[in-house]
Amino acid sequence: MDFLIGCICSLFIVGAAYAKRSLSVSGAVAAALLGTLIYALGDIRWYGLLLAFFISSSLLSHRKKEAKKGIEDLFAKTGTRDWLQVVANGGLGLVAVAGAFFLGGAYGWYMFYIGVIAAVTSDTWATEIGVLSRGKPRHVLTGRRVEPGISGGVSSLGLLASLAGGLFIGSLATLLVWLIQKEWIFSYIAAGACGGMAGSLADSAIGAVWQRMYYCEVCGKETERTEHCSQPTRVIKGYAWCTNDMVNILSSLVGGAIAVWWS
C-alpha cells in the first residue's frame, strides 16, 4: 500500500513538474522512482522533506528567469533537471531511508537525511537567489571579488538564502516528526541549519578547487560548459570526474555528516 501511495503521489507531482519544464523525461522517470521508494521505505517524515526541496527549488528556478539568464548560461545544467541531477540531489537521501529500513537506527539515519536534504536545498536556494545579488560575489577560499557565475563565488544574499534553506528543512522535519510521534525534537532545526550551511559552503569550495571548468574564447568568461557562444571551450582547471553533479553528491555527503555529528 505504501508503495502504491508513494507512486501515485510522485507521479502527480512529477507530472506537474514536467509540464512546467522543471524536469526532463529522464529526470521525471528518476524523480518518480526516487519519490516512490522513499515513501515506500519511509513515511511522510522522509517524503515530506524531499517534496519540500523539490517544490521550493523548482519554484525558485523559475523566479526572475530573465534576470538570471546571463549567469545560468554559464552553468553546466539548466533549471530543467535530468536524471543525473535528480540522483545527485536525492540519491544519498534514498541511501539514508534504505539504511533506516533495513539496518535500523532510524534516529541517526534521519539526522543524516536531514543534513543531505538541507545541503541540497541550501545550495539550490543560495544559487537561485544569490545570482540576483547586486554586488559581485567573493571567492569562498580567498575572499577576493569574482565575477558572478564563477565557481567558488559566494555572496551575502546567497549565504542568507543558504541559511534559510537549511532552517526550512530542519523546521519542517521537526514539524513532521511531531505530527507522527507527537514529540518535539528541536535538534533537527539545528541539524538542518548546520548541515545546510556546511553542504552549501562545501559545494562552493569543492567547485573552486576540483570541479572541471572551461574558458570561452568568444566572450572571455569562465563556464562549466564544454561549449559556449556556439564554440568549443578550453579546459582551464579541475578534474574530469568532478562534474557539477559530483560536486552536489560530495557536498550533500558533507551536509549529512555534519548533521550526524551535531546529533
Side-chain angles (χ1 to χ4, degrees), residues 33-162:
L33 181 59
L34 181 70
T36 299
L37 290 175
I38 285 181
Y39 190 93
L41 297 177
D43 52 35
I44 193 62
R45 290 170 293 185
W46 305 77
Y47 192 69
L49 296 190
L50 181 69
L51 284 187
F53 157 68
F54 179 69
I55 293 174
S56 66
S57 299
S58 297
L59 290 174
L60 284 176
S61 69
H62 290 288
R63 187 173 183 271
K64 296 189 176 181
K65 193 73 173 177
E66 288 303 314
K68 296 185 286 188
K69 191 177 190 315
I71 303 299
E72 289 184 337
D73 283 346
L74 301 175
F75 297 151
K77 300 294 181 73
T78 66
T80 304
R81 293 179 172 85
D82 59 20
W83 74 272
L84 279 173
Q85 285 172 286
V86 171
V87 172
N89 286 303
L92 283 177
L94 179 58
V95 170
V97 70
F101 184 83
F102 291 110
L103 303 176
Y107 178 78
W109 283 112
Y110 193 61
M111 271 291 194
F112 180 76
Y113 185 77
I114 290 172
V116 167
I117 301 300
V120 295
T121 302
S122 291
D123 179 58
T124 303
W125 285 30
T127 300
E128 297 294 346
I129 296 174
V131 296
L132 300 175
S133 179
R134 294 181 180 180
K136 288 186 177 181
R138 291 184 181 275
H139 195 279
V140 68
L141 299 178
T142 67
R144 292 184 293 105
R145 293 285 185 182
V146 294
E147 292 297 320
I150 293 294
S151 181
V154 296
S155 66
S156 297
L157 182 60
L159 289 173
L160 285 174
S162 178

Side-chain angles (χ1 to χ4, degrees), residues 69-257:
K69 191 177 190 315
I71 303 299
E72 289 184 337
D73 283 346
L74 301 175
F75 297 151
K77 300 294 181 73
T78 66
T80 304
R81 293 179 172 85
D82 59 20
W83 74 272
L84 279 173
Q85 285 172 286
V86 171
V87 172
N89 286 303
L92 283 177
L94 179 58
V95 170
V97 70
F101 184 83
F102 291 110
L103 303 176
Y107 178 78
W109 283 112
Y110 193 61
M111 271 291 194
F112 180 76
Y113 185 77
I114 290 172
V116 167
I117 301 300
V120 295
T121 302
S122 291
D123 179 58
T124 303
W125 285 30
T127 300
E128 297 294 346
I129 296 174
V131 296
L132 300 175
S133 179
R134 294 181 180 180
K136 288 186 177 181
R138 291 184 181 275
H139 195 279
V140 68
L141 299 178
T142 67
R144 292 184 293 105
R145 293 285 185 182
V146 294
E147 292 297 320
I150 293 294
S151 181
V154 296
S155 66
S156 297
L157 182 60
L159 289 173
L160 285 174
S162 178
L163 178 60
L167 286 171
F168 170 62
I169 293 299
S171 299
L172 181 60
T174 301
L175 178 60
L176 290 173
V177 168
W178 179 82
L179 290 174
I180 299 296
Q181 300 176 193
K182 302 304 178 185
E183 178 184 8
W184 291 109
I185 305 179
F186 293 107
S187 58
Y188 289 158
I189 299 176
C194 293
M197 283 296 293
S200 181
L201 289 173
D203 185 278
S204 297
I206 294 170
V209 177
W210 291 343
Q211 186 176 359
R212 177 61 63 93
M213 298 298 294
Y214 304 85
Y215 181 79
C216 178
E217 301 284 0
V218 178
C219 66
K221 292 182 178 180
E222 186 177 314
T223 176
E224 297 175 357
R225 297 175 181 265
T226 57
E227 183 177 298
H228 195 258
C229 296
S230 300
Q231 295 294 326
T233 53
R234 62 178 175 86
V235 176
I236 56 173
K237 66 173 184 177
Y239 300 96
W241 60 266
C242 196
T243 62
N244 180 261
D245 294 319
M246 181 57 69
V247 171
N248 288 336
I249 293 172
L250 294 175
S251 60
S252 63
L253 180 61
V254 170

